[in-house]
């Protein structure tokens, strides 16, 4: 072990040492692949697509983009609920995930995102002519929350190794 590694390990906080002792493997996985990590791509892409539809509608005034935005917002919300349920089960069932502050920040941002996605879809279902300006505002807010939730979700994977399977096989 190099001098740099041994000195960095010696300076690890006792709180961090206690947190890292807990299991962080996914409780809900298919062939070792975490379902939550696979499912979040859909609401992320659809939330951004809803914003794109709103911008194109604002630019072109073509009613086609209102219909596309309705479908994108609806599927963003529905797939977000599915990904959120799986993520919530991971948070509840895996002690190492629950012990990390980034997990809670990610969960709160994701729940706020799902709420905004649902509000955006509900607005489009009940008042299609309200896409501008309220729908566009909700889409921008949804895109910002997507970035925030995604940042903290990525932090859990890349910095904390949550859900990553490490094999001894070579």
């Amino acid at each position: 072990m190099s001098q740099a590694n041994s000195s960095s390990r010696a300076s690890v906080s006792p709180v961090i040492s206690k947190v890292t002792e807990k299991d962080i493997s996914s409780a809900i996985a298919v062939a070792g692949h975490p379902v939550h990590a696979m499912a979040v791509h859909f609401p992320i892409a659809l939330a951004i697509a809803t914003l794109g539809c709103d911008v194109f509608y604002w630019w072109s005034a073509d009613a086609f983009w209102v219909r596309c935005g309705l479908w994108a917002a609806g599927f963003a919300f529905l797939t977000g609920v599915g990904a959120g349920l799986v993520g919530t089960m991971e948070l509840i069932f895996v002690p190492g995930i629950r012990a990390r502050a980034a997990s809670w920040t990610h969960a709160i941002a994701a729940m706020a995102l799902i709420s905004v996605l649902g509000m955006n879809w509900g607005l489009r279902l009940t008042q299609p002519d309200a896409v501008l300006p309220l729908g566009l505002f909700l889409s921008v807010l949804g895109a910002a929350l997507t970035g925030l939730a995604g940042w903290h979700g990525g932090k859990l994977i890349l910095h904390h190794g949550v859900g990553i399977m490490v094999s001894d096989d070579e």
Side-chain angles (χ1 to χ4, degrees):
M1 183 175 349
S2 73
Q3 184 97 28
N5 279 348
S6 64
S7 66
S8 67
R9 285 184 180 227
S11 65
V12 172
S13 145
V15 173
I16 299 298
S17 296
K18 206 67 166 151
V19 167
T20 57
E21 290 175 0
K22 297 182 179 179
D23 181 33
I24 54 171
S25 59
S26 180
I28 303 164
V30 174
H33 300 281
V35 172
H36 180 68
M38 291 188 285
V40 297
H41 296 86
F42 297 102
I44 290 169
L46 290 162
I48 302 304
T50 305
L51 175 59
C53 290
D54 290 352
V55 168
F56 284 133
Y57 175 64
W58 185 24
W59 180 59
S60 70
D62 186 346
F64 167 79
W65 294 112
V66 174
R67 290 190 308 276
C68 285
L70 170 70
W71 284 95
F75 280 110
F77 173 69
L78 295 173
T79 58
V81 167
L85 288 172
V86 175
T88 300
M89 288 188 283
E90 292 278 19
L91 187 65
I92 291 169
F93 296 136
V94 182
I97 294 175
R98 248 190 345 266
R100 287 166 167 75
S103 300
W104 294 97
T105 307
H106 172 67
I108 291 166
M111 295 313 262
L113 171 61
I114 292 168
S115 299
V116 168
L117 295 175
M119 190 181 332
N120 203 354
W121 185 38
L123 172 74
R124 291 160 194 275
L125 283 172
T126 59
Q127 302 172 24
D129 58 333
V131 169
L132 293 177
L134 186 55
L136 178 60
F137 170 75
L138 290 172
S139 295
V140 169
L141 181 58
L145 288 169
T146 297
L148 180 66
W151 177 272
H152 286 285
K155 186 176 179 180
L156 286 168
I157 294 168
L158 299 172
H159 293 185
H160 298 279
V162 169
I164 295 176
M165 281 182 21
V166 179
S167 174
D168 290 337
D169 298 339
E170 291 185 30

